[in-house]
Amino acid sequence: MLWVDKYRPKTLDQVIVHQDIALNLKKLVTEQDCPHLLFYGSSGSGKKTLIMALLRQVFGPGAEKVKVENRTWKIDAGSRTIDLELTTLSSANHVELSPSDVGFQDRYIVQEIIKEMAKNRPIDTKGKRGYKVLVLNEVDKLSREAQHSLRRTMEKYSTSCRLILCCNSSSKVIEAIRSRCLNVRINAPTEEQIVKVLEFIGKKEGLQLPSGFAARIAEKSNRSLRRAILSFETCRVQQYPFTSNQAIPPMDWEEYVSEIASDIMKEQSPKRLFQVRGKLYELLTNCIPPEIVLKRLLYELLKRLDAELKHEICHWAAYYEHRMRLGQKAIFHLEAFVAKFMSIYKGFLITTFG
Amino acid sequence: MAPMLQSSQQWVEKYRPRQVKDVAHQDEVVRVLTNTLETTNCPHMLFYGPPGIGKTTTALAIAHQLFGPELYKSRVLELNASDDRGINVVRTKIKDFAAIAVGSAQRQGGYPCPPYKIIILDEADSMTEDAQNALRRTMETYSKVTRFFFICNYISRIIEPLASRCAKFRFKPITEEIMSSRILHICKEEGLNLDAEALSTLSYISQGDLRRAITYLQGATRLFGSSISSNDLISVSGVIPQDVVEALFTACRSGDFDLANKEVNKIIAEGYPVSLLLSQIFDVVVEAEDISDEQKARICKRLAEADKCLVDGADEYLQLLNVASHVMLALCNMPEELNYES
Ligand SMILES: Nc1ncnc2c1ncn2[C@@H]1O[C@H](COP(=O)(O)OP(=O)(O)OP(=O)(O)O)[C@@H](O)[C@H]1O
Ligand SMILES: Nc1ncnc2c1ncn2[C@@H]1O[C@H](COP(=O)(O)OP(=O)(O)O)[C@@H](O)[C@H]1O
Ligand SMILES: [Mg+2]
Ligand SMILES: [Mg+2]
């Protein structure tokens, strides 16, 4: 088992970071009338961990006995039937799913399946809880229609069902849904907190950590606990005993984006643009989300630029990411950003150096 | 409802008014509907307004009061966004229900039971235009035996031909005064203690949305017990602390792009919702005395554009960084590049 899973705290008492939030969650479920919850925060900040620990708090150890199923639903959409496939994780008292996985048909998942699940009373009536819990992941990726479909379900069946929604960016969740939940913000752990977790794992694994080593990993983790633990484990595999100056390997794709940035800075020409396109394609086919690529590219470019150009470049990055969201083919917009950059940068070089 | 479930009820549902007369602050519609209860006359209705101010509540209450529990099932069809309401459903399910003939008015068990059915289309702004168009005919053909109630947040999403067939009611955000009295009522029922400051904080943070106020109150009760302070409410509400906004401003004033970028990164890592932050920045900018009108205009224009982009699903980090960059340009009186306009 990977360390990220092996050392995931199982109960609200065991968490190392977010202890204050864990304490609050515990109080929140002592009575029967717990509200719907919306957890939001950046990736790897510990949302899922808290949600699972919360379920355990509510339903006891039974909540950990989950069954993973790949299920297919036949949905009658008037003139035709649609087959939808979705993975669910369920215990006697809760079901977890990511409705946005089915793409633009996510509305049907909410209308047909989630409503059905919410309607039915919990199977296990012996348990002291009169409700079951539906955990929905990535609600910020749900289409607007699907989000609207959740609204009334959250009210109508609230006696038999509680929703726990989880997302990265709560700005993408419609107001009407946010108004129906208690919002729980999960901040990314600070570097010091990450160091604490790494030291904890190190101790459990019986490892010797040179001073400053954990801090260096934390610094490179971008405040993502998951990422820090993963690179810690990678370091362990690459070289043990650790040395204090051991390199922390960056992610492959980040290296690659850094190369792209250098390429662009070196030469601005149609030929170079063509080469860069190939590299961008490569990233996309490896399932790196386009907005992540764009943000990383911006990061690399900003590092290399003069102050006066930074404003303009960040403007265009925001501009093309927005266009990308409205359009269909991400590559067009990534490439347009690169072309725009080249033209601005070339213009800058010419006016400065003639 | 089974007694065992009583305790697992959320307060928003527990305190949902069951009768039209108990709906707070929406006097106009309450007056019209109270009249309906006497005369049983009722036009098609369109309720619109922001979340959590009593639209669904009012529609359900009038339907229950007109027909009572016995007839409710056969006379009222409630469809909301969680139901498929595509064009097919309009042509079949809705049309079939609308077409059913009903007997003449006859009071039953103390309920007026007027000779028509009610179709409630809640969250109607999520219906497609095609589906709405398909409704026009049905509405006209069966207007003798069927009344439609449309409910939505944005009236602009309802096509004109439908809207013009309805009596329109704009539901207003709940005022601080009314909100306080509802909240105090709940506090009394639940045995809570709320001082005046906490009360006014609660109405401020929930911005006229009563559902949100009740949810915060319930959350705060669970977390902090029955004596609730203003700070307790702020901490459950997710409002962004003012010093976060200030820090971003200070960074922008410095004219150092990297500093602002760092601040933006920090805000994103803390998980503050950027849409909310934009409106808090807006409040600060509008009230600031040391910012000229021209600077304010430049900043607000960008805030508006970023807000729209966020609604379209754009990335929070990039939008906020861009806002920060424009705020910096405006505050430091640096020109914007002319070719920014695409
Ligand atoms: N005017 C009101 N008077 C009394 N209680 C209200 C009022 N408005 C809202 N509430 C409270 O808020 C809850 C939600 O109200 P309701 O379902 O009517 O909102 P809505 O206007 O339909 O919102 P949405 O647009 O999000 O569907 C109710 O259960 C009730 O507890
Ligand atoms: N509170 C915590 N204390 C210690 N380790 C944690 C905590 N929260 C998360 N972790 C570690 O970080 C990893 C990633 O957390 P996760 O909850 O999956 O993040 P998210 O759902 O926010 O993306 C977990 O697998 C776990 O090992
Ligand atoms: Mg996760
Ligand atoms: Mg409603």
Side-chain angles (χ1 to χ4, degrees):
Chain A
M1 206 194 312
L2 285 174
W3 288 355
V4 271
D5 295 319
K6 191 166 164 195
Y7 294 105
R8 194 194 277 277
K10 295 264 180 306
T11 66
L12 290 174
D13 298 312
Q14 289 169 0
V15 300
I16 301 175
V17 293
H18 302 310
Q19 283 172 350
D20 46 340
I21 299 175
L23 199 68
N24 281 344
L25 288 175
K26 221 163 142 181
K27 289 195 214 150
L28 202 61
V29 295
T30 47
E31 304 276 329
Q32 289 261 312
D33 53 5
C34 143
H36 299 302
L37 299 172
L38 170 67
F39 284 79
Y40 61 95
S42 56
S43 158
S45 59
K47 298 178 295 297
K48 208 49 186 299
T49 306
L50 284 168
I51 292 174
M52 280 156 58
L54 179 68
L55 289 173
R56 191 188 148 116
Q57 177 77 27
V58 176
F59 299 117
E64 279 168 27
K65 294 201 195 86
V66 292
K67 186 164 82 208
V68 183
E69 279 176 295
N70 250 320
R71 295 172 58 182
T72 312
W73 281 276
K74 286 208 179 312
I75 288 171
D76 176 27
S79 47
R80 65 214 157 102
T81 37
I82 303 173
D83 281 338
L84 291 179
E85 255 188 56
L86 199 64
T87 312
T88 62
L89 258 86
S90 54
S91 75
N93 297 297
H94 88 281
V95 184
E96 178 187 336
L97 60 169
S98 311
S100 60
D101 284 356
V102 302
F104 68 99
Q105 288 171 326
D106 55 0
R107 168 169 71 98
Y108 293 108
I109 296 285
V110 179
Q111 288 179 344
E112 306 289 327
I113 298 162
I114 295 183
K115 196 165 70 172
E116 208 47 46
M117 289 174 174
K119 247 191 229 170
N120 296 328
R121 308 284 338 281
I123 321 146
D124 171 33
T125 41
K126 291 191 304 284
K128 56 186 189 326
R129 298 290 163 172
Y131 59 83
K132 68 163 161 243
V133 171
L134 279 179
V135 180
L136 305 185
N137 292 322
E138 307 195 326
V139 282
D140 49 351
K141 299 218 176 93
L142 281 180
S143 67
R144 240 129 246 262
E145 269 182 318
Q147 293 194 28
H148 279 295
S149 304
L150 265 182
R151 291 165 60 174
R152 198 57 197 132
T153 303
M154 293 175 78
E155 295 178 334
K156 220 167 162 179
Y157 309 110
S158 68
T159 35
S160 58
C161 176
R162 289 292 177 283
L163 261 64
I164 297 183
L165 310 177
C166 183
C167 70
N168 289 139
S169 130
S170 81
S171 293
K172 291 182 193 169
V173 178
I174 60 171
E175 187 70 32
I177 288 190
R178 279 187 274 157
S179 146
R180 283 161 168 79
C181 302
L182 195 63
N183 292 217
V184 187
R185 177 173 60 86
I186 310 296
N187 58 307
T190 60
E191 287 177 17
E192 294 80 60
Q193 287 170 327
I194 293 180
V195 169
K196 251 168 78 184
V197 174
L198 296 181
E199 282 170 351
F200 170 81
I201 295 176
K203 202 159 129 221
K204 287 275 174 186
E205 290 285 323
L207 303 176
Q208 287 293 330
L209 294 184
S211 80
F213 185 61
R216 278 202 299 132
I217 295 180
E219 195 191 327
K220 295 222 158 146
S221 69
N222 211 354
R223 290 179 67 179
S224 159
L225 202 44
R226 175 176 316 103
R227 173 147 184 200
I229 300 174
L230 284 172
S231 48
F232 187 35
E233 196 172 0
T234 316
C235 288
R236 166 71 180 80
V237 173
Q238 288 187 337
Q239 180 187 339
Y240 189 78
F242 298 128
T243 55
S244 54
N245 60 353
Q246 180 171 345
I248 317 289
M251 306 271 222
D252 295 344
W253 71 269
E254 288 181 355
E255 285 277 82
Y256 206 62
V257 175
S258 169
E259 267 173 41
I260 295 178
S262 304
D263 289 349
I264 302 174
M265 297 292 290
K266 266 190 228 121
E267 183 185 324
Q268 301 81 37
S269 66
K271 189 168 139 248
R272 187 45 63 92
L273 187 59
F274 183 72
Q275 289 166 353
V276 165
R277 176 201 286 164
K279 295 193 172 182
L280 290 172
Y281 245 128
E282 177 88 27
L283 285 165
L284 296 183
T285 47
N286 277 298
C287 291
I288 313 288
E291 70 277 7
I292 304 277
V293 174
L294 184 59
K295 279 197 279 186
R296 189 71 195 182
L297 185 57
L298 177 68
Y299 166 84
E300 293 290 345
L301 292 173
L302 287 177
K303 268 201 319 205
R304 296 166 165 84
L305 279 181
D306 268 15
E308 49 188 305
L309 283 183
K310 287 182 179 174
H311 292 281
E312 208 176 337
I313 298 309
C314 102
H315 173 93
W316 290 112
Y319 177 85
Y320 285 109
E321 195 273 338
H322 177 225
R323 300 273 291 223
M324 188 156 84
R325 194 62 65 171
L326 299 177
Q328 298 227 327
K329 288 255 180 274
I331 187 79
F332 292 165
H333 306 281
L334 286 177
E335 205 177 352
F337 172 69
V338 174
K340 189 83 196 174
F341 177 85
M342 284 182 170
S343 112
I344 291 171
Y345 191 59
K346 185 132 201 161
F348 168 77
L349 290 180
I350 290 170
T351 43
T352 328
F353 304 109
Chain B
M1 245 164 268
M4 174 221 159
L5 296 179
Q6 212 68 43
S7 54
S8 75
Q9 222 180 10
Q10 301 188 328
W11 291 359
V12 270
E13 292 306 322
K14 190 165 166 190
Y15 295 100
R16 188 191 282 279
R18 312 279 167 218
Q19 300 203 323
V20 173
K21 70 172 169 43
D22 296 331
V23 173
H25 196 52
Q26 315 298 354
D27 304 330
E28 200 189 347
V29 68
V30 169
R31 192 159 33 81
V32 170
L33 289 177
T34 312
N35 204 13
T36 296
L37 280 173
E38 277 162 25
T39 63
T40 74
N41 275 337
C42 181
H44 297 303
M45 298 272 204
L46 171 58
F47 298 165
Y48 63 100
I53 55 174
K55 301 180 300 294
T56 305
T57 307
T58 309
L60 294 179
I62 186 71
H64 275 109
Q65 281 181 276
L66 281 175
F67 298 107
E70 297 263 304
L71 274 182
Y72 188 85
K73 276 240 154 64
S74 61
R75 291 293 184 86
V76 182
L77 176 64
E78 188 201 338
L79 290 175
N80 51 66
S82 76
D83 303 296
D84 185 10
R85 293 181 302 189
I87 194 155
N88 273 312
V89 172
V90 172
R91 286 195 185 128
T92 55
K93 195 168 169 186
I94 295 184
K95 184 159 163 265
D96 293 346
F97 185 84
I100 300 171
V102 286
S104 56
Q106 225 171 28
R107 283 190 85 83
Q108 266 185 33
Y111 295 98
C113 304
Y116 49 77
K117 291 151 291 151
I118 290 181
I119 297 183
I120 301 175
L121 290 170
D122 202 349
E123 293 140 15
D125 31 12
S126 71
M127 290 178 77
T128 62
E129 257 185 48
D130 286 345
Q132 293 188 38
N133 267 313
L135 261 180
R136 288 163 61 175
R137 278 280 298 286
T138 313
M139 263 177 100
E140 258 165 22
T141 318
Y142 304 107
S143 66
K144 270 226 167 69
V145 286
T146 305
R147 298 291 182 279
F148 279 87
F149 280 54
F150 295 97
I151 305 177
C152 64
N153 293 127
Y154 303 102
I155 193 174
S156 56
R157 305 253 169 89
I158 305 293
I159 60 169
E160 182 53 31
L162 285 193
S164 63
R165 285 172 170 79
C166 299
K168 294 189 249 329
F169 294 95
R170 187 173 77 85
F171 279 59
K172 298 172 297 240
I174 313 286
T175 59
E176 176 160 357
E177 204 188 337
I178 307 273
M179 178 144 338
S180 300
S181 82
R182 291 295 302 183
I183 295 295
L184 283 175
H185 168 71
I186 296 177
C187 288
K188 206 167 117 226
E189 295 284 314
E190 301 287 338
L192 308 179
N193 237 324
L194 220 64
D195 58 32
E197 191 196 347
L199 203 57
S200 87
T201 304
L202 186 55
S203 8
Y204 169 70
I205 55 182
S206 41
Q207 311 242 316
D209 178 343
L210 192 49
R211 171 170 41 223
R212 206 181 320 185
I214 299 175
T215 309
Y216 290 159
L217 186 67
Q218 188 177 13
T221 310
R222 286 296 151 258
L223 297 185
F224 307 106
S226 60
S227 265
I228 298 164
S229 73
S230 164
N231 278 335
D232 298 343
L233 289 165
I234 288 183
S235 76
V236 294
S237 73
V239 172
I240 301 167
Q242 205 53 32
D243 48 333
V244 174
V245 186
E246 302 279 324
L248 183 63
F249 252 82
T250 313
C252 289
R253 270 183 214 282
S254 76
D256 180 345
F257 184 93
D258 293 340
L259 211 62
N261 192 2
K262 211 168 126 199
E263 208 57 52
V264 169
N265 269 310
K266 210 157 92 195
I267 289 171
I268 299 291
E270 288 299 316
Y272 294 116
V274 172
S275 53
L276 183 63
L277 184 64
L278 294 185
S279 69
Q280 287 186 234
I281 294 179
F282 177 80
D283 290 344
V284 171
V285 169
V286 169
E287 274 165 31
E289 279 164 8
D290 56 345
I291 302 181
S292 75
D293 284 352
E294 195 206 324
Q295 288 171 324
K296 286 185 184 180
R298 278 174 71 177
I299 296 174
C300 292
K301 176 162 178 274
R302 176 47 51 188
L303 286 175
E305 278 163 18
D307 186 63
K308 156 79 171 118
C309 291
L310 287 176
V311 169
D312 289 339
D315 184 79
E316 290 191 302
Y317 164 77
L318 291 173
Q319 290 304 323
L320 185 60
L321 182 62
N322 195 20
V323 164
S325 146
H326 280 80
V327 171
M328 183 181 289
L329 293 176
L331 290 182
C332 302
N333 291 315
M334 295 189 256
E336 272 175 50
E337 300 297 322
L338 287 175
N339 57 357
Y340 267 21
E341 308 296 334
S342 170

